[in-house]
Amino acid sequence: MRLDTSVDKRARNMARSRGFILDMNLVDVPCVGGRFSWFNGKGNAMSRLDLFLLSQKLIDEWGVINQRIGLRDVSDHFPITINTSNINWGPNSFRFNNMWLRHDNFSPFVKDEWEKISMAGRGDFVLYEKLKRLKSILRGWNCDGFGWVDLRVNEKVKELNDLDGNLVENHGDNIDELAKVRSNMMGDLWKTLNIKEGMLRPKSRQR
């Protein structure tokens, strides 16, 4: 009697996955932006674990061009997006960020800008138009007041991804030293993300 080992199970599961992909006629569309979609915590192992498999009908309807591996931050996995040519997702929604309330100048700024907006008309029309203009003003104020946080995060994410690229090119050379540098960079990135925590919560719909 032959025992069913984990290797046997893995081989059968891989065969089933390949069979499903073939039966469904799924396509792995061209990938740009990077070679791997996953790095382990130390950066000494990498793979393309994550990808989109699409039907030809969906590719044609959406006008799919490719899938792009983006820049990761604290996750082991890279974000992947589908690039299309004919999908219009509509305008970006406006979200009030509770972190704005922690800024000392926020309330005086809103009060001053609200009083500057002058227009005539029906009450509901005036309220709607003033809110619409204030929304645009707040977007600019947010960039000036908190834009540096995003910039700092982006800089640290770029440094981290550049290091990961170095790990790929020099795999096996000075791996322990590079892993130590990467660990320190991750610590700095976490500190910056903690500052940005209040800005991330509304996007995740966390109460």
Side-chain angles (χ1 to χ4, degrees):
M1 180 178 179
R2 184 169 176 270
L3 295 177
D4 191 9
T5 66
S6 59
V7 175
D8 295 330
K9 290 181 180 178
R10 189 179 301 114
R12 284 204 310 273
N13 289 336
M14 291 176 64
R16 288 170 181 166
S17 297
R18 286 194 296 268
F20 175 80
I21 293 171
L22 291 173
D23 291 342
M24 297 294 103
N25 294 317
L26 299 179
V27 179
D28 180 10
V29 295
C31 185
V32 298
R35 294 167 55 191
F36 303 103
S37 61
W38 172 84
F39 275 74
N40 73 344
K42 294 182 179 180
N44 55 6
M46 56 213 71
S47 176
R48 188 174 174 230
L49 289 179
D50 311 295
L51 67 156
F52 284 102
L53 295 172
L54 307 175
S55 68
Q56 189 61 52
K57 181 180 179 181
L58 189 61
I59 292 173
D60 295 337
E61 288 184 357
W62 283 14
V64 175
I65 302 171
N66 53 41
Q67 52 185 315
R68 173 175 291 277
I69 296 179
L71 299 179
R72 70 192 179 98
D73 40 47
V74 294
S75 173
D76 291 343
H77 296 262
F78 291 76
I80 304 180
T81 56
I82 296 178
N83 293 330
T84 64
S85 60
N86 58 8
I87 296 296
N88 180 8
W89 299 107
N92 293 331
S93 59
F94 174 80
R95 292 186 179 90
F96 183 89
N97 197 313
N98 289 335
M99 192 174 183
W100 293 346
L101 297 174
R102 303 178 191 176
H103 199 292
D104 293 338
N105 295 331
F106 177 71
S107 293
F109 173 80
V110 172
K111 182 175 183 295
D112 184 55
E113 292 298 326
W114 183 265
E115 292 174 349
K116 287 180 182 178
I117 303 173
S118 177
M119 61 180 58
R122 245 185 17 232
D124 56 347
F125 169 79
V126 170
L127 177 62
Y128 174 80
E129 288 297 323
K130 291 185 73 169
L131 286 173
K132 186 167 68 173
R133 296 190 187 185
L134 183 63
K135 178 174 66 175
S136 177
I137 293 170
L138 283 176
R139 280 199 175 108
W141 177 86
N142 180 63
C143 290
D144 293 337
F146 294 97
W148 66 269
V149 179
D150 284 326
L151 179 62
R152 189 81 55 82
V153 169
N154 290 338
E155 288 176 347
K156 293 185 180 298
V157 167
K158 184 180 184 305
E159 291 174 0
L160 185 62
N161 281 273
D162 287 343
L163 180 61
D164 286 340
N166 193 14
L167 288 169
V168 172
E169 298 299 327
N170 303 283
H171 192 55
D173 299 334
N174 301 323
I175 193 68
D176 292 334
E177 182 180 347
L178 290 174
K180 184 177 180 180
V181 172
R182 188 180 186 283
S183 177
N184 293 333
M185 291 174 66
M186 285 291 291
D188 292 339
L189 178 57
W190 271 113
K191 291 178 183 178
T192 309
L193 285 176
N194 284 335
I195 298 175
K196 193 181 177 182
E197 180 183 9
M199 302 173 68
L200 295 176
R201 280 182 175 169
K203 295 181 180 179
S204 66
R205 298 181 180 179
Q206 179 180 345
R207 293 184 180 275

